[in-house]
Amino acid sequence: GNSVTQMEGPVTLSEEAFLTINCTYTATGYPSLFWYVQYPGEGLQLLLKATKADDKGSNKGFEATYRKETTSFHLEKGSVQVSDSAVYFCALKDSNYKLTFGKGTLLTVNP
Amino acid sequence: EAQVTQNPRYLITVTGKKLTVTCSQNMNHEYMSWYRQDPGLGLRQIYYSMNVEVTDKGDVPEGYKVSRKEKRNFPLILESPSPNQTSLYFCASSLYSGTGIYEQYFGPGTRLTVT
């Protein structure tokens, strides 16, 4: 079946550092891809998405590009802030009725 | 404000005592789903519903029941909770069309402890 693999955490960075969280997927066809963010004590929020190959999703300074040749959707941000500390989930639209999530990556940004 | 609400947010109960976690959305979404989140396992889908009176099993449905009598509500029922159902539960909703679901909107979560 379809699956999502994202880098193990936790990831700890200093403020203004560059962030990359790797995400690769296994799927048939051309699934839509998502990044969700979960701030402490809250539910998941959609951060960005891409629906076809070579699409770039972006929001709040975060970016991810849908790479079909490498089956990847890596999340990047050029300069992280303390307020970006959260758990980040990569996900794919597995079918008409389901999202499949990666296990999540905890990011901690220190001042 | 568009939102998904869950109640209760926190619940401690004992093995075998039936409980219901409510979920409600005000966005007129057709699709609703329940997930559980466990450390190292990410989110796993329990049940989903594509419309009123239409429900189906997700990846981990054992020990859970759901119902969808109204479009806005999708309660999760644990008839006889066990300690392995201790988890963080999320309800989500989404628009649904011929091409399937769109991005999902999540509730704030319900932390359940079964002793």
Side-chain angles (χ1 to χ4, degrees), chain A residues 62-98:
Chain A
F62 291 89
E63 294 182 338
T65 301
Y66 189 160
R67 302 282 190 204
K68 183 159 177 62
E69 63 276 13
T70 54
T71 62
S72 65
F73 193 54
H74 304 322
L75 182 68
E76 297 182 336
K77 186 175 186 182
S79 176
V80 294
Q81 306 300 310
V82 172
S83 57
D84 294 326
S85 298
V87 180
Y88 291 82
F89 291 91
C90 185
L92 65 81
K93 182 179 169 182
D94 198 341
S95 67
N96 282 348
Y97 55 84
K98 180 182 174 183

mmCIF file of all heavy atoms in Angstrom, chain A residues 62-98:
data_model
loop_
_atom_site.group_PDB
_atom_site.id
_atom_site.type_symbol
_atom_site.label_atom_id
_atom_site.label_comp_id
_atom_site.label_asym_id
_atom_site.label_seq_id
_atom_site.Cartn_x
_atom_site.Cartn_y
_atom_site.Cartn_z
ATOM 1 N N PHE A 62 7.608 28.641 4.607
ATOM 2 C CA PHE A 62 7.913 27.239 4.332
ATOM 3 C C PHE A 62 7.623 26.928 2.860
ATOM 4 O O PHE A 62 6.699 27.483 2.268
ATOM 5 C CB PHE A 62 7.050 26.313 5.201
ATOM 6 C CG PHE A 62 7.392 26.341 6.660
ATOM 7 C CD1 PHE A 62 6.789 27.251 7.508
ATOM 8 C CD2 PHE A 62 8.312 25.443 7.181
ATOM 9 C CE1 PHE A 62 7.091 27.265 8.861
ATOM 10 C CE2 PHE A 62 8.624 25.456 8.527
ATOM 11 C CZ PHE A 62 8.013 26.372 9.369
ATOM 12 N N GLU A 63 8.418 26.021 2.308
ATOM 13 C CA GLU A 63 8.215 25.590 0.924
ATOM 14 C C GLU A 63 8.442 24.093 0.805
ATOM 15 O O GLU A 63 9.224 23.520 1.565
ATOM 16 C CB GLU A 63 9.212 26.279 -0.018
ATOM 17 C CG GLU A 63 9.037 27.763 -0.158
ATOM 18 C CD GLU A 63 10.032 28.327 -1.152
ATOM 19 O OE1 GLU A 63 11.074 27.687 -1.396
ATOM 20 O OE2 GLU A 63 9.755 29.420 -1.677
ATOM 21 N N ALA A 64 7.761 23.485 -0.164
ATOM 22 C CA ALA A 64 8.021 22.087 -0.504
ATOM 23 C C ALA A 64 7.659 21.889 -1.961
ATOM 24 O O ALA A 64 6.639 22.398 -2.424
ATOM 25 C CB ALA A 64 7.210 21.145 0.379
ATOM 26 N N THR A 65 8.490 21.143 -2.681
ATOM 27 C CA THR A 65 8.267 20.908 -4.099
ATOM 28 C C THR A 65 7.994 19.434 -4.341
ATOM 29 O O THR A 65 8.724 18.569 -3.854
ATOM 30 C CB THR A 65 9.481 21.336 -4.930
ATOM 31 O OG1 THR A 65 9.727 22.723 -4.705
ATOM 32 C CG2 THR A 65 9.224 21.111 -6.417
ATOM 33 N N TYR A 66 6.951 19.159 -5.084
ATOM 34 C CA TYR A 66 6.524 17.799 -5.414
ATOM 35 C C TYR A 66 7.458 17.256 -6.499
ATOM 36 O O TYR A 66 7.407 17.674 -7.658
ATOM 37 C CB TYR A 66 5.089 17.882 -5.939
ATOM 38 C CG TYR A 66 4.334 16.601 -6.160
ATOM 39 C CD1 TYR A 66 2.946 16.626 -6.232
ATOM 40 C CD2 TYR A 66 4.957 15.373 -6.319
ATOM 41 C CE1 TYR A 66 2.188 15.479 -6.443
ATOM 42 C CE2 TYR A 66 4.223 14.220 -6.534
ATOM 43 C CZ TYR A 66 2.840 14.289 -6.595
ATOM 44 O OH TYR A 66 2.097 13.147 -6.806
ATOM 45 N N ARG A 67 8.334 16.321 -6.119
ATOM 46 C CA ARG A 67 9.310 15.743 -7.036
ATOM 47 C C ARG A 67 8.922 14.306 -7.328
ATOM 48 O O ARG A 67 9.161 13.410 -6.505
ATOM 49 C CB ARG A 67 10.712 15.770 -6.413
ATOM 50 C CG ARG A 67 11.192 17.150 -6.035
ATOM 51 C CD ARG A 67 11.667 17.923 -7.221
ATOM 52 N NE ARG A 67 12.341 19.164 -6.823
ATOM 53 C CZ ARG A 67 12.453 20.225 -7.601
ATOM 54 N NH1 ARG A 67 11.919 20.219 -8.819
ATOM 55 N NH2 ARG A 67 13.085 21.295 -7.162
ATOM 56 N N LYS A 68 8.358 14.092 -8.499
ATOM 57 C CA LYS A 68 7.909 12.734 -8.805
ATOM 58 C C LYS A 68 9.104 11.817 -9.092
ATOM 59 O O LYS A 68 9.093 10.637 -8.754
ATOM 60 C CB LYS A 68 6.963 12.744 -9.999
ATOM 61 C CG LYS A 68 6.428 11.349 -10.294
ATOM 62 C CD LYS A 68 5.166 11.374 -11.095
ATOM 63 C CE LYS A 68 4.722 9.964 -11.417
ATOM 64 N NZ LYS A 68 4.423 9.195 -10.179
ATOM 65 N N GLU A 69 10.166 12.370 -9.685
ATOM 66 C CA GLU A 69 11.300 11.513 -10.061
ATOM 67 C C GLU A 69 12.003 10.925 -8.842
ATOM 68 O O GLU A 69 12.560 9.830 -8.909
ATOM 69 C CB GLU A 69 12.276 12.293 -10.936
ATOM 70 C CG GLU A 69 12.930 13.482 -10.281
ATOM 71 C CD GLU A 69 12.097 14.747 -10.322
ATOM 72 O OE1 GLU A 69 10.886 14.669 -10.655
ATOM 73 O OE2 GLU A 69 12.636 15.825 -10.010
ATOM 74 N N THR A 70 11.950 11.661 -7.729
ATOM 75 C CA THR A 70 12.567 11.165 -6.498
ATOM 76 C C THR A 70 11.517 10.793 -5.454
ATOM 77 O O THR A 70 11.879 10.445 -4.324
ATOM 78 C CB THR A 70 13.518 12.211 -5.901
ATOM 79 O OG1 THR A 70 12.800 13.440 -5.736
ATOM 80 C CG2 THR A 70 14.719 12.437 -6.799
ATOM 81 N N THR A 71 10.256 10.849 -5.827
ATOM 82 C CA THR A 71 9.116 10.614 -4.911
ATOM 83 C C THR A 71 9.339 11.302 -3.576
ATOM 84 O O THR A 71 9.283 10.685 -2.505
ATOM 85 C CB THR A 71 8.831 9.112 -4.722
ATOM 86 O OG1 THR A 71 9.962 8.451 -4.139
ATOM 87 C CG2 THR A 71 8.465 8.468 -6.046
ATOM 88 N N SER A 72 9.582 12.612 -3.636
ATOM 89 C CA SER A 72 9.892 13.353 -2.420
ATOM 90 C C SER A 72 9.076 14.634 -2.328
ATOM 91 O O SER A 72 8.561 15.153 -3.342
ATOM 92 C CB SER A 72 11.390 13.686 -2.376
ATOM 93 O OG SER A 72 11.732 14.558 -3.426
ATOM 94 N N PHE A 73 8.986 15.132 -1.118
ATOM 95 C CA PHE A 73 8.248 16.379 -0.848
ATOM 96 C C PHE A 73 8.871 16.999 0.394
ATOM 97 O O PHE A 73 8.261 17.153 1.431
ATOM 98 C CB PHE A 73 6.767 16.059 -0.645
ATOM 99 C CG PHE A 73 5.854 17.252 -0.661
ATOM 100 C CD1 PHE A 73 5.842 18.147 -1.720
ATOM 101 C CD2 PHE A 73 4.950 17.463 0.384
ATOM 102 C CE1 PHE A 73 4.979 19.237 -1.744
ATOM 103 C CE2 PHE A 73 4.081 18.553 0.369
ATOM 104 C CZ PHE A 73 4.094 19.433 -0.693
ATOM 105 N N HIS A 74 10.132 17.375 0.291
ATOM 106 C CA HIS A 74 10.894 17.871 1.437
ATOM 107 C C HIS A 74 10.435 19.266 1.837
ATOM 108 O O HIS A 74 10.253 20.147 0.986
ATOM 109 C CB HIS A 74 12.391 17.909 1.103
ATOM 110 C CG HIS A 74 12.941 16.594 0.645
ATOM 111 N ND1 HIS A 74 12.553 15.379 1.186
ATOM 112 C CD2 HIS A 74 13.847 16.304 -0.320
ATOM 113 C CE1 HIS A 74 13.199 14.394 0.596
ATOM 114 N NE2 HIS A 74 13.993 14.918 -0.330
ATOM 115 N N LEU A 75 10.322 19.471 3.134
ATOM 116 C CA LEU A 75 9.919 20.768 3.676
ATOM 117 C C LEU A 75 11.151 21.601 3.975
ATOM 118 O O LEU A 75 12.097 21.108 4.591
ATOM 119 C CB LEU A 75 9.098 20.574 4.961
ATOM 120 C CG LEU A 75 8.556 21.838 5.612
ATOM 121 C CD1 LEU A 75 7.489 22.475 4.752
ATOM 122 C CD2 LEU A 75 8.012 21.510 7.005
ATOM 123 N N GLU A 76 11.149 22.881 3.572
ATOM 124 C CA GLU A 76 12.285 23.764 3.805
ATOM 125 C C GLU A 76 11.807 25.123 4.293
ATOM 126 O O GLU A 76 10.712 25.573 3.949
ATOM 127 C CB GLU A 76 13.099 23.952 2.510
ATOM 128 C CG GLU A 76 13.732 22.690 1.980
ATOM 129 C CD GLU A 76 14.559 22.931 0.732
ATOM 130 O OE1 GLU A 76 14.298 23.919 0.031
ATOM 131 O OE2 GLU A 76 15.460 22.115 0.464
ATOM 132 N N LYS A 77 12.682 25.741 5.092
ATOM 133 C CA LYS A 77 12.467 27.127 5.477
ATOM 134 C C LYS A 77 13.833 27.768 5.638
ATOM 135 O O LYS A 77 14.717 27.180 6.277
ATOM 136 C CB LYS A 77 11.659 27.254 6.758
ATOM 137 C CG LYS A 77 11.307 28.719 7.076
ATOM 138 C CD LYS A 77 10.408 28.847 8.293
ATOM 139 C CE LYS A 77 9.988 30.313 8.463
ATOM 140 N NZ LYS A 77 9.145 30.548 9.664
ATOM 141 N N GLY A 78 13.978 28.959 5.122
ATOM 142 C CA GLY A 78 15.293 29.577 5.099
ATOM 143 C C GLY A 78 15.784 30.075 6.445
ATOM 144 O O GLY A 78 16.992 30.097 6.713
ATOM 145 N N SER A 79 14.862 30.475 7.319
ATOM 146 C CA SER A 79 15.264 31.067 8.596
ATOM 147 C C SER A 79 14.162 30.778 9.611
ATOM 148 O O SER A 79 13.115 31.429 9.606
ATOM 149 C CB SER A 79 15.467 32.575 8.429
ATOM 150 O OG SER A 79 15.770 33.187 9.667
ATOM 151 N N VAL A 80 14.416 29.787 10.462
ATOM 152 C CA VAL A 80 13.371 29.381 11.404
ATOM 153 C C VAL A 80 13.320 30.318 12.603
ATOM 154 O O VAL A 80 14.306 30.966 12.969
ATOM 155 C CB VAL A 80 13.574 27.932 11.871
ATOM 156 C CG1 VAL A 80 13.382 26.967 10.712
ATOM 157 C CG2 VAL A 80 14.937 27.741 12.520
ATOM 158 N N GLN A 81 12.142 30.372 13.213
ATOM 159 C CA GLN A 81 11.912 31.164 14.413
ATOM 160 C C GLN A 81 11.507 30.241 15.559
ATOM 161 O O GLN A 81 11.064 29.112 15.325
ATOM 162 C CB GLN A 81 10.808 32.187 14.150
ATOM 163 C CG GLN A 81 11.052 33.076 12.937
ATOM 164 C CD GLN A 81 12.334 33.873 13.084
ATOM 165 O OE1 GLN A 81 12.549 34.512 14.116
ATOM 166 N NE2 GLN A 81 13.180 33.844 12.056
ATOM 167 N N VAL A 82 11.618 30.760 16.760
ATOM 168 C CA VAL A 82 11.218 29.976 17.928
ATOM 169 C C VAL A 82 9.765 29.520 17.785
ATOM 170 O O VAL A 82 9.394 28.401 18.166
ATOM 171 C CB VAL A 82 11.425 30.779 19.222
ATOM 172 C CG1 VAL A 82 10.827 30.046 20.413
ATOM 173 C CG2 VAL A 82 12.904 31.059 19.453
ATOM 174 N N SER A 83 8.935 30.375 17.200
ATOM 175 C CA SER A 83 7.515 30.070 17.048
ATOM 176 C C SER A 83 7.238 28.943 16.053
ATOM 177 O O SER A 83 6.095 28.470 15.953
ATOM 178 C CB SER A 83 6.750 31.313 16.606
ATOM 179 O OG SER A 83 7.302 31.814 15.401
ATOM 180 N N ASP A 84 8.254 28.504 15.329
ATOM 181 C CA ASP A 84 8.096 27.361 14.410
ATOM 182 C C ASP A 84 8.237 26.019 15.120
ATOM 183 O O ASP A 84 8.043 24.969 14.499
ATOM 184 C CB ASP A 84 9.134 27.433 13.277
ATOM 185 C CG ASP A 84 8.929 28.626 12.360
ATOM 186 O OD1 ASP A 84 7.760 29.000 12.141
ATOM 187 O OD2 ASP A 84 9.936 29.186 11.882
ATOM 188 N N SER A 85 8.577 26.040 16.382
ATOM 189 C CA SER A 85 8.700 24.799 17.145
ATOM 190 C C SER A 85 7.363 24.066 17.163
ATOM 191 O O SER A 85 6.347 24.610 17.609
ATOM 192 C CB SER A 85 9.147 25.095 18.583
ATOM 193 O OG SER A 85 10.423 25.698 18.590
ATOM 194 N N ALA A 86 7.353 22.854 16.670
ATOM 195 C CA ALA A 86 6.110 22.101 16.497
ATOM 196 C C ALA A 86 6.459 20.716 15.966
ATOM 197 O O ALA A 86 7.632 20.405 15.726
ATOM 198 C CB ALA A 86 5.180 22.809 15.514
ATOM 199 N N VAL A 87 5.428 19.905 15.781
ATOM 200 C CA VAL A 87 5.594 18.623 15.094
ATOM 201 C C VAL A 87 5.067 18.779 13.671
ATOM 202 O O VAL A 87 3.977 19.315 13.465
ATOM 203 C CB VAL A 87 4.838 17.487 15.810
ATOM 204 C CG1 VAL A 87 5.045 16.163 15.065
ATOM 205 C CG2 VAL A 87 5.305 17.359 17.247
ATOM 206 N N TYR A 88 5.850 18.317 12.708
ATOM 207 C CA TYR A 88 5.506 18.461 11.299
ATOM 208 C C TYR A 88 5.217 17.082 10.714
ATOM 209 O O TYR A 88 5.994 16.139 10.893
ATOM 210 C CB TYR A 88 6.648 19.147 10.546
ATOM 211 C CG TYR A 88 6.799 20.584 10.954
ATOM 212 C CD1 TYR A 88 7.502 20.926 12.106
ATOM 213 C CD2 TYR A 88 6.209 21.612 10.220
ATOM 214 C CE1 TYR A 88 7.605 22.239 12.516
ATOM 215 C CE2 TYR A 88 6.317 22.930 10.617
ATOM 216 C CZ TYR A 88 7.017 23.235 11.766
ATOM 217 O OH TYR A 88 7.115 24.541 12.166
ATOM 218 N N PHE A 89 4.084 16.984 10.009
ATOM 219 C CA PHE A 89 3.660 15.725 9.406
ATOM 220 C C PHE A 89 3.568 15.870 7.892
ATOM 221 O O PHE A 89 2.912 16.787 7.390
ATOM 222 C CB PHE A 89 2.271 15.307 9.908
ATOM 223 C CG PHE A 89 2.218 14.908 11.345
ATOM 224 C CD1 PHE A 89 1.954 15.840 12.330
ATOM 225 C CD2 PHE A 89 2.433 13.583 11.718
ATOM 226 C CE1 PHE A 89 1.885 15.464 13.668
ATOM 227 C CE2 PHE A 89 2.373 13.203 13.044
ATOM 228 C CZ PHE A 89 2.100 14.149 14.025
ATOM 229 N N CYS A 90 4.193 14.960 7.199
ATOM 230 C CA CYS A 90 4.019 14.836 5.766
ATOM 231 C C CYS A 90 2.876 13.851 5.520
ATOM 232 O O CYS A 90 2.718 12.879 6.266
ATOM 233 C CB CYS A 90 5.326 14.321 5.147
ATOM 234 S SG CYS A 90 5.347 14.232 3.361
ATOM 235 N N ALA A 91 2.064 14.098 4.489
ATOM 236 C CA ALA A 91 0.925 13.223 4.233
ATOM 237 C C ALA A 91 0.641 13.166 2.741
ATOM 238 O O ALA A 91 0.965 14.097 2.002
ATOM 239 C CB ALA A 91 -0.317 13.712 4.985
ATOM 240 N N LEU A 92 0.037 12.079 2.329
ATOM 241 C CA LEU A 92 -0.421 11.976 0.945
ATOM 242 C C LEU A 92 -1.889 11.564 0.913
ATOM 243 O O LEU A 92 -2.382 10.898 1.827
ATOM 244 C CB LEU A 92 0.453 11.004 0.137
ATOM 245 C CG LEU A 92 0.498 9.512 0.472
ATOM 246 C CD1 LEU A 92 -0.685 8.755 -0.106
ATOM 247 C CD2 LEU A 92 1.786 8.914 -0.085
ATOM 248 N N LYS A 93 -2.546 11.988 -0.132
ATOM 249 C CA LYS A 93 -3.940 11.597 -0.330
ATOM 250 C C LYS A 93 -3.921 10.192 -0.888
ATOM 251 O O LYS A 93 -3.602 9.973 -2.055
ATOM 252 C CB LYS A 93 -4.628 12.561 -1.290
ATOM 253 C CG LYS A 93 -6.093 12.266 -1.522
ATOM 254 C CD LYS A 93 -6.675 13.313 -2.464
ATOM 255 C CE LYS A 93 -8.051 12.905 -2.940
ATOM 256 N NZ LYS A 93 -8.607 13.879 -3.895
ATOM 257 N N ASP A 94 -4.252 9.255 -0.022
ATOM 258 C CA ASP A 94 -4.067 7.840 -0.335
ATOM 259 C C ASP A 94 -5.145 7.327 -1.278
ATOM 260 O O ASP A 94 -4.937 6.423 -2.042
ATOM 261 C CB ASP A 94 -4.111 7.062 0.989
ATOM 262 C CG ASP A 94 -3.516 5.683 0.859
ATOM 263 O OD1 ASP A 94 -3.391 5.181 -0.274
ATOM 264 O OD2 ASP A 94 -3.176 5.098 1.886
ATOM 265 N N SER A 95 -6.315 7.901 -1.188
ATOM 266 C CA SER A 95 -7.437 7.449 -1.992
ATOM 267 C C SER A 95 -8.471 8.556 -1.930
ATOM 268 O O SER A 95 -8.206 9.634 -1.415
ATOM 269 C CB SER A 95 -8.015 6.150 -1.439
ATOM 270 O OG SER A 95 -8.603 6.400 -0.182
ATOM 271 N N ASN A 96 -9.677 8.258 -2.407
ATOM 272 C CA ASN A 96 -10.720 9.292 -2.359
ATOM 273 C C ASN A 96 -11.190 9.604 -0.947
ATOM 274 O O ASN A 96 -11.905 10.577 -0.728
ATOM 275 C CB ASN A 96 -11.921 8.867 -3.195
ATOM 276 C CG ASN A 96 -11.662 9.086 -4.677
ATOM 277 O OD1 ASN A 96 -10.699 9.740 -5.047
ATOM 278 N ND2 ASN A 96 -12.514 8.539 -5.511
ATOM 279 N N TYR A 97 -10.794 8.771 -0.005
ATOM 280 C CA TYR A 97 -11.366 8.945 1.321
ATOM 281 C C TYR A 97 -10.337 8.920 2.447
ATOM 282 O O TYR A 97 -10.689 8.817 3.609
ATOM 283 C CB TYR A 97 -12.394 7.842 1.573
ATOM 284 C CG TYR A 97 -11.838 6.446 1.394
ATOM 285 C CD1 TYR A 97 -11.151 5.811 2.416
ATOM 286 C CD2 TYR A 97 -11.969 5.767 0.193
ATOM 287 C CE1 TYR A 97 -10.607 4.551 2.252
ATOM 288 C CE2 TYR A 97 -11.430 4.503 0.022
ATOM 289 C CZ TYR A 97 -10.753 3.903 1.043
ATOM 290 O OH TYR A 97 -10.224 2.657 0.863
ATOM 291 N N LYS A 98 -9.070 9.017 2.119
ATOM 292 C CA LYS A 98 -8.091 8.819 3.190
ATOM 293 C C LYS A 98 -6.814 9.621 2.935
ATOM 294 O O LYS A 98 -6.354 9.738 1.809
ATOM 295 C CB LYS A 98 -7.741 7.334 3.275
ATOM 296 C CG LYS A 98 -6.747 6.965 4.344
ATOM 297 C CD LYS A 98 -6.454 5.470 4.282
ATOM 298 C CE LYS A 98 -5.361 5.107 5.254
ATOM 299 N NZ LYS A 98 -5.007 3.691 5.168
#
